[in-house]
Amino acid sequence: DAKTTQPPSMDCAEGRAANLPCNHSTISGNEYVYWYRQIHSQGPQYIIHGLKNNETNEMASLIITEDRKSSTLILPHATLRDTAVYYCIVRVVGLIQGAQKLVFGQGTRLTINP
Amino acid sequence: DARVTQTPRHKVTEMGQEVTMRCQPILGHNTVFWYRQTMMQGLELLAYFRNRAPLDDSGMPKDRFSAEMPDATLATLKIQPSEPRDSAVYFCASGSDGGGPGGYTFGSGTRLTVV
């Protein structure tokens, strides 16, 4: 799986949009971008994933650059409960050998300030 | 919401004792993972199964760790003998092939302390 690079920490004011960047310059054409988050001492929680088009769900939006070498997770109106470690992961999807694996990096520790 | 159930939530044991952690994946999920999380190493993949067959356990210390799926509703991770360096939070996760539209679902973890 391609390696990702994320800033170790970020701050954001409550009510503002939180934009979390991720670089994945070695991503392959068949690799998806996944985002998970981990709120203190809980198990990681799936947020969103995408291949090349921008995606939106009830939790967040995912913007992937045209060359797919980077992406941004957007939490449109951050709340204190969004304080967590956010992980960006790239992986293939399907029944290819090893495709099921999720390999976590160090992530970005996002702190939402009142 | 369907959830992955892990037991026990907390376990304190003495060095040298056997420890068994259990995981009940979400009904219908055919992929199960075991992860270990420490402050120093972060989230490490220990092993994973697809359709109850082990696909990869290269992240697991083979001499003391073993992972099994005796049936589709139960996954176990066993440490024998346990050592203080095994102290960590152990997470189980389940999902459908490829992760599905909802990705993988993680349990709340078992916090293991070996003294």
Side-chain angles (χ1 to χ4, degrees), chain B residues 13-74:
Chain B
T13 191
E14 291 184 347
M15 183 173 62
Q17 296 297 306
E18 178 179 296
V19 175
T20 299
M21 290 168 272
R22 293 176 174 82
C23 168
Q24 182 177 356
I26 291 174
L27 190 65
H29 282 184
N30 68 337
T31 309
V32 173
F33 302 83
W34 283 104
Y35 286 87
R36 175 173 63 183
Q37 186 170 34
T38 61
M39 288 291 292
M40 294 298 294
Q41 301 296 328
L43 276 160
E44 301 173 278
L45 178 63
L46 297 176
Y48 74 102
F49 295 76
R50 180 175 177 270
N51 294 334
R52 295 177 54 202
L55 287 192
D56 187 349
D57 61 1
S58 59
M60 208 162 61
K62 301 290 191 307
D63 56 337
R64 298 183 300 108
F65 284 60
S66 62
E68 295 179 343
M69 279 201 74
D71 61 61
T73 64
L74 177 65

XYZ file of all heavy atoms in Angstrom, chain B residues 13-74:
500
model
N -3.274 -9.180 34.374
C -2.787 -10.525 34.615
C -1.311 -10.476 34.984
O -0.621 -9.483 34.732
C -3.003 -11.416 33.388
O -2.756 -12.778 33.722
C -2.070 -11.017 32.249
N -0.877 -11.558 35.573
C 0.538 -11.644 35.950
C 1.351 -12.228 34.802
O 0.857 -13.072 34.032
C 0.710 -12.503 37.199
C 0.138 -11.854 38.439
C 0.411 -12.682 39.695
O 0.813 -13.855 39.568
O 0.210 -12.133 40.798
N 2.573 -11.797 34.726
C 3.485 -12.313 33.718
C 3.513 -13.832 33.758
O 3.546 -14.435 34.842
C 4.886 -11.759 33.991
C 5.927 -12.155 32.995
S 7.489 -11.308 33.288
C 7.898 -11.889 34.905
N 3.467 -14.436 32.567
C 3.507 -15.885 32.479
C 2.143 -16.534 32.358
O 2.040 -17.706 31.963
N 1.103 -15.790 32.663
C -0.244 -16.338 32.574
C -0.751 -16.314 31.134
O -0.319 -15.515 30.307
C -1.205 -15.547 33.463
C -0.890 -15.637 34.943
C -1.003 -17.051 35.455
O -2.026 -17.712 35.293
N 0.064 -17.548 36.061
N -1.698 -17.199 30.863
C -2.346 -17.221 29.547
C -3.477 -16.193 29.514
O -4.211 -16.035 30.490
C -2.917 -18.612 29.260
C -3.659 -18.707 27.935
C -4.191 -20.104 27.679
O -3.372 -21.033 27.551
O -5.432 -20.267 27.591
N -3.582 -15.508 28.406
C -4.634 -14.514 28.222
C -5.395 -14.850 26.940
O -4.782 -15.108 25.894
C -4.054 -13.097 28.084
C -5.147 -12.086 27.782
C -3.303 -12.698 29.353
N -6.712 -14.850 27.024
C -7.546 -15.064 25.835
C -8.490 -13.884 25.681
O -9.228 -13.540 26.607
C -8.351 -16.364 25.932
O -7.449 -17.464 26.026
C -9.223 -16.539 24.688
N -8.446 -13.266 24.515
C -9.353 -12.167 24.183
C -10.323 -12.655 23.106
O -9.915 -13.380 22.194
C -8.553 -10.963 23.681
C -7.737 -10.300 24.783
S -6.536 -9.110 24.190
C -5.127 -10.179 23.913
N -11.564 -12.229 23.226
C -12.594 -12.703 22.312
C -13.229 -11.560 21.549
O -13.314 -10.434 22.050
C -13.660 -13.476 23.092
C -13.146 -14.778 23.683
C -14.173 -15.485 24.526
N -13.674 -16.792 24.954
C -12.868 -16.985 25.975
N -12.444 -15.950 26.695
N -12.463 -18.208 26.292
N -13.695 -11.903 20.368
C -14.307 -10.907 19.491
C -15.494 -11.544 18.787
O -15.377 -12.634 18.203
C -13.283 -10.410 18.470
S -13.979 -9.442 17.108
N -16.623 -10.862 18.833
C -17.796 -11.299 18.069
C -17.975 -10.323 16.916
O -18.362 -9.167 17.128
C -19.040 -11.309 18.952
C -20.281 -11.791 18.244
C -21.493 -11.868 19.175
O -21.385 -11.638 20.376
N -22.639 -12.207 18.633
N -17.666 -10.740 15.688
C -17.809 -9.813 14.559
C -19.278 -9.570 14.246
O -20.172 -10.261 14.732
C -17.114 -10.554 13.411
C -17.154 -11.989 13.785
C -17.170 -12.049 15.285
N -19.526 -8.569 13.431
C -20.886 -8.268 12.997
C -21.386 -9.406 12.117
O -20.651 -9.900 11.248
C -20.923 -6.923 12.259
C -20.652 -5.776 13.249
C -22.267 -6.712 11.559
C -20.522 -4.416 12.612
N -22.624 -9.821 12.364
C -23.212 -10.925 11.611
C -23.175 -10.624 10.112
O -23.613 -9.555 9.680
C -24.652 -11.128 12.081
C -25.369 -12.392 11.591
C -24.687 -13.628 12.162
C -26.849 -12.361 11.996
N -22.642 -11.570 9.367
C -22.564 -11.393 7.923
C -21.215 -10.881 7.431
O -20.929 -10.972 6.239
N -20.412 -10.333 8.330
C -19.066 -9.886 7.940
C -18.156 -11.097 7.801
O -18.169 -11.992 8.651
C -18.504 -8.922 8.973
C -19.059 -7.546 8.861
N -18.630 -6.500 9.653
C -19.979 -7.017 8.019
C -19.275 -5.405 9.316
N -20.109 -5.700 8.331
N -17.332 -11.101 6.749
C -16.482 -12.263 6.527
C -14.994 -11.971 6.684
O -14.171 -12.856 6.469
C -16.735 -12.853 5.135
C -16.270 -11.921 4.019
O -16.151 -10.722 4.213
N -15.989 -12.494 2.860
N -14.656 -10.740 7.056
C -13.250 -10.385 7.270
C -13.087 -9.886 8.692
O -13.874 -9.040 9.139
C -12.799 -9.283 6.284
O -13.140 -9.674 4.961
C -11.305 -9.076 6.363
N -12.108 -10.434 9.393
C -11.875 -10.075 10.797
C -10.398 -9.747 10.980
O -9.530 -10.449 10.458
C -12.276 -11.230 11.746
C -11.880 -10.913 13.187
C -13.772 -11.492 11.662
N -10.145 -8.664 11.705
C -8.789 -8.206 11.969
C -8.528 -8.153 13.466
O -9.433 -7.868 14.245
C -8.578 -6.779 11.446
C -8.828 -6.603 9.988
C -10.106 -6.414 9.496
C -7.774 -6.591 9.099
C -10.329 -6.223 8.144
C -7.977 -6.397 7.749
C -9.267 -6.221 7.272
N -7.272 -8.341 13.828
C -6.792 -8.053 15.180
C -5.689 -6.999 15.075
O -4.736 -7.161 14.304
C -6.234 -9.294 15.859
C -7.257 -10.246 16.382
C -7.636 -11.438 15.841
C -8.040 -10.095 17.574
N -8.603 -12.031 16.613
C -8.867 -11.230 17.686
C -8.126 -9.105 18.557
C -9.766 -11.420 18.737
C -9.019 -9.293 19.604
C -9.818 -10.428 19.697
N -5.842 -5.934 15.874
C -4.840 -4.879 15.963
C -4.404 -4.723 17.419
O -5.157 -5.005 18.339
C -5.410 -3.525 15.503
C -5.594 -3.366 14.021
C -6.766 -3.789 13.404
C -4.616 -2.770 13.235
C -6.948 -3.627 12.032
C -4.789 -2.600 11.871
C -5.956 -3.035 11.282
O -6.132 -2.866 9.930
N -3.194 -4.215 17.575
C -2.676 -3.877 18.899
C -2.264 -2.408 18.859
O -1.674 -1.952 17.870
C -1.453 -4.741 19.229
C -0.761 -4.388 20.521
C 0.326 -5.398 20.858
N 1.397 -5.462 19.901
C 2.414 -6.321 19.985
N 2.458 -7.195 20.978
N 3.363 -6.323 19.072
N -2.583 -1.679 19.923
C -2.229 -0.264 19.964
C -1.466 0.060 21.236
O -1.918 -0.218 22.348
C -3.470 0.624 19.884
C -3.125 2.103 19.780
C -4.332 2.964 19.465
O -5.442 2.674 19.904
N -4.128 4.003 18.672
N -0.304 0.648 21.068
C 0.487 1.179 22.168
C 0.859 2.616 21.838
O 0.778 3.048 20.681
C 1.774 0.372 22.398
O 2.568 0.450 21.188
C 1.477 -1.083 22.702
N 1.269 3.349 22.854
C 1.682 4.741 22.626
C 2.878 4.802 21.692
O 2.966 5.678 20.835
C 2.025 5.399 23.963
C 0.827 5.687 24.834
S -0.203 6.981 24.129
C 0.875 8.388 24.301
N 3.793 3.868 21.858
C 5.030 3.921 21.072
C 4.836 3.489 19.631
O 5.377 4.084 18.713
C 6.092 3.034 21.731
C 6.557 3.525 23.086
S 7.336 5.140 22.966
C 8.791 4.735 22.018
N 4.065 2.436 19.419
C 3.955 1.831 18.076
C 2.692 2.206 17.328
O 2.571 1.923 16.128
C 4.048 0.305 18.189
C 5.331 -0.199 18.803
C 6.536 0.144 17.952
O 6.450 0.210 16.721
N 7.655 0.400 18.599
N 1.735 2.813 18.012
C 0.479 3.116 17.345
C -0.330 1.854 17.088
O -0.219 0.875 17.820
N -1.121 1.863 16.013
C -1.972 0.720 15.670
C -1.195 -0.238 14.778
O -0.819 0.095 13.662
C -3.222 1.193 14.941
C -4.379 1.655 15.798
C -5.322 2.532 14.987
C -5.126 0.461 16.375
N -0.993 -1.449 15.264
C -0.265 -2.470 14.511
C -1.224 -3.601 14.145
O -1.944 -4.102 15.013
C 0.857 -3.077 15.345
C 1.899 -2.125 15.851
C 2.841 -2.861 16.792
O 2.488 -3.033 17.976
O 3.932 -3.278 16.331
N -1.185 -4.013 12.887
C -1.996 -5.143 12.456
C -1.305 -6.427 12.877
O -0.149 -6.672 12.526
C -2.171 -5.114 10.943
C -2.968 -6.258 10.332
C -4.408 -6.251 10.829
C -2.933 -6.159 8.805
N -2.018 -7.256 13.641
C -1.448 -8.524 14.094
C -1.814 -9.666 13.153
O -0.967 -10.477 12.787
C -1.942 -8.853 15.510
C -1.550 -7.895 16.621
C -2.213 -8.311 17.928
C -0.041 -7.846 16.777
N -3.102 -9.743 12.805
C -3.560 -10.864 11.986
C -4.907 -10.512 11.382
O -5.617 -9.634 11.878
C -3.705 -12.119 12.843
N -5.235 -11.211 10.281
C -6.589 -11.077 9.776
C -7.055 -12.330 9.069
O -6.246 -13.121 8.576
C -6.780 -9.818 8.938
C -6.200 -9.796 7.551
C -7.002 -9.999 6.430
C -4.856 -9.495 7.356
C -6.481 -9.923 5.159
C -4.327 -9.419 6.079
C -5.145 -9.629 4.981
O -4.624 -9.553 3.713
N -8.354 -12.488 9.063
C -9.012 -13.667 8.534
C -10.029 -13.259 7.476
O -10.658 -12.211 7.581
C -9.785 -14.399 9.653
C -8.928 -14.967 10.733
C -8.374 -14.143 11.715
C -8.672 -16.322 10.799
C -7.582 -14.670 12.714
C -7.888 -16.856 11.802
C -7.342 -16.028 12.761
N -10.190 -14.109 6.506
C -11.274 -13.951 5.543
C -11.984 -15.292 5.441
O -11.345 -16.319 5.212
C -10.770 -13.507 4.171
C -11.884 -13.346 3.146
C -11.365 -12.789 1.828
N -12.441 -12.715 0.859
C -12.750 -13.709 0.018
N -12.047 -14.821 0.010
N -13.761 -13.575 -0.823
N -13.295 -15.258 5.628
C -14.082 -16.498 5.636
C -13.471 -17.512 6.602
O -13.367 -18.710 6.294
C -14.171 -17.084 4.230
C -14.960 -16.202 3.276
O -15.824 -15.440 3.700
N -14.635 -16.278 1.999
N -13.030 -17.045 7.745
C -12.477 -17.821 8.858
C -11.089 -18.360 8.590
O -10.470 -18.952 9.490
C -13.407 -18.980 9.237
C -14.761 -18.547 9.776
C -15.648 -19.745 10.054
N -14.978 -20.691 10.935
C -15.288 -21.982 11.017
N -16.233 -22.489 10.262
N -14.648 -22.769 11.865
N -10.563 -18.157 7.399
C -9.210 -18.646 7.110
C -8.204 -17.537 7.372
O -8.419 -16.392 6.957
C -9.120 -19.104 5.659
N -7.104 -17.862 8.055
C -6.084 -16.831 8.293
C -5.393 -16.438 6.992
O -4.924 -17.306 6.255
C -5.109 -17.534 9.256
C -5.316 -18.991 9.033
C -6.734 -19.167 8.614
N -5.380 -15.131 6.685
C -4.729 -14.653 5.470
C -3.333 -14.127 5.740
O -2.454 -14.238 4.894
C -5.568 -13.552 4.812
C -6.847 -13.962 4.104
C -7.384 -12.807 3.274
C -6.600 -15.173 3.206
N -3.172 -13.531 6.891
C -1.879 -12.915 7.194
C -1.761 -12.772 8.699
O -2.602 -12.138 9.321
C -1.779 -11.541 6.523
C -0.405 -10.904 6.652
O 0.426 -11.414 7.430
O -0.158 -9.895 5.973
N -0.757 -13.387 9.266
C -0.475 -13.183 10.696
C 0.984 -12.790 10.879
O 1.579 -13.049 11.925
C -0.846 -14.408 11.522
C -0.056 -15.646 11.109
O 0.792 -15.544 10.186
O -0.284 -16.717 11.693
N 1.540 -12.154 9.876
C 2.961 -11.809 9.932
C 3.279 -10.764 10.986
O 4.418 -10.611 11.395
C 3.440 -11.332 8.553
O 2.695 -10.196 8.146
N 2.266 -10.031 11.432
C 2.494 -9.015 12.451
C 2.470 -9.543 13.865
O 2.647 -8.784 14.812
N 2.280 -10.818 14.005
C 2.075 -11.428 15.317
C 3.322 -12.204 15.758
O 3.851 -12.985 14.976
C 0.910 -12.410 15.201
C 0.136 -12.640 16.434
S -1.466 -13.375 16.075
C -0.988 -14.900 15.319
N 3.771 -12.008 16.997
C 4.871 -12.845 17.516
C 4.400 -14.290 17.610
O 3.535 -14.627 18.418
C 5.138 -12.254 18.908
C 4.472 -10.919 18.926
C 3.326 -11.009 17.980
N 4.957 -15.146 16.759
C 4.434 -16.502 16.624
C 4.686 -17.366 17.842
O 3.958 -18.337 18.082
C 5.074 -17.178 15.409
C 4.864 -16.513 14.098
C 3.410 -16.625 13.637
C 3.253 -16.197 12.191
N 3.817 -14.855 11.945
N 5.721 -17.073 18.592
C 6.071 -17.972 19.671
C 5.072 -17.923 20.821
O 4.924 -18.888 21.571
C 7.482 -17.661 20.179
C 7.647 -16.214 20.621
O 6.867 -15.358 20.158
O 8.563 -15.937 21.413
N 4.366 -16.800 20.952
C 3.470 -16.682 22.107
C 2.041 -16.292 21.729
O 1.149 -16.426 22.551
C 4.043 -15.641 23.077
C 5.403 -16.002 23.638
C 5.890 -14.966 24.644
N 6.009 -13.636 24.052
C 5.185 -12.632 24.307
N 4.170 -12.809 25.134
N 5.372 -11.458 23.747
N 1.830 -15.795 20.553
C 0.503 -15.342 20.136
C -0.123 -16.353 19.177
O 0.571 -16.939 18.340
C 0.590 -13.999 19.408
C 0.809 -12.804 20.287
C 1.933 -12.693 21.084
C -0.116 -11.774 20.307
C 2.142 -11.583 21.885
C 0.080 -10.653 21.103
C 1.206 -10.556 21.890
N -1.432 -16.521 19.307
C -2.159 -17.325 18.332
C -3.542 -16.726 18.135
O -4.138 -16.206 19.078
C -2.258 -18.783 18.780
O -2.968 -18.883 19.995
N -4.012 -16.767 16.893
C -5.330 -16.239 16.564
C -6.109 -17.311 15.826
O -5.563 -17.993 14.966
C -5.216 -14.979 15.706
N -7.399 -17.433 16.181
C -8.240 -18.445 15.557
C -9.648 -17.910 15.362
O -10.055 -16.937 15.997
C -8.323 -19.695 16.459
C -7.012 -20.420 16.651
C -7.176 -21.631 17.562
O -8.190 -21.728 18.276
O -6.273 -22.483 17.567
N -10.374 -18.571 14.478
C -11.807 -18.323 14.325
C -12.507 -19.657 14.366
O -12.723 -20.287 13.312
C -12.104 -17.597 13.015
C -11.862 -16.111 13.083
S -12.756 -15.199 11.812
C -14.437 -15.261 12.437
N -12.872 -20.139 15.536
C -13.525 -21.445 15.628
C -14.858 -21.497 14.890
O -15.255 -22.572 14.422
C -13.699 -21.657 17.139
C -13.411 -20.353 17.784
C -12.621 -19.516 16.837
N -15.547 -20.385 14.790
C -16.727 -20.312 13.941
C -16.908 -18.864 13.493
O -16.153 -17.980 13.895
C -17.980 -20.864 14.641
C -18.344 -20.099 15.893
O -18.614 -18.887 15.784
O -18.346 -20.706 16.978
N -17.912 -18.632 12.671
C -18.082 -17.305 12.064
C -18.482 -16.231 13.060
O -18.439 -15.041 12.753
C -19.112 -17.382 10.938
N -18.887 -16.634 14.254
C -19.337 -15.652 15.242
C -18.309 -15.391 16.332
O -18.572 -14.637 17.269
C -20.646 -16.120 15.911
O -20.390 -17.324 16.648
C -21.729 -16.365 14.881
N -17.140 -16.007 16.234
C -16.155 -15.854 17.296
C -14.744 -15.867 16.745
O -14.360 -16.770 15.996
C -16.305 -16.981 18.333
C -15.284 -16.979 19.478
C -15.455 -15.729 20.345
C -15.410 -18.245 20.321
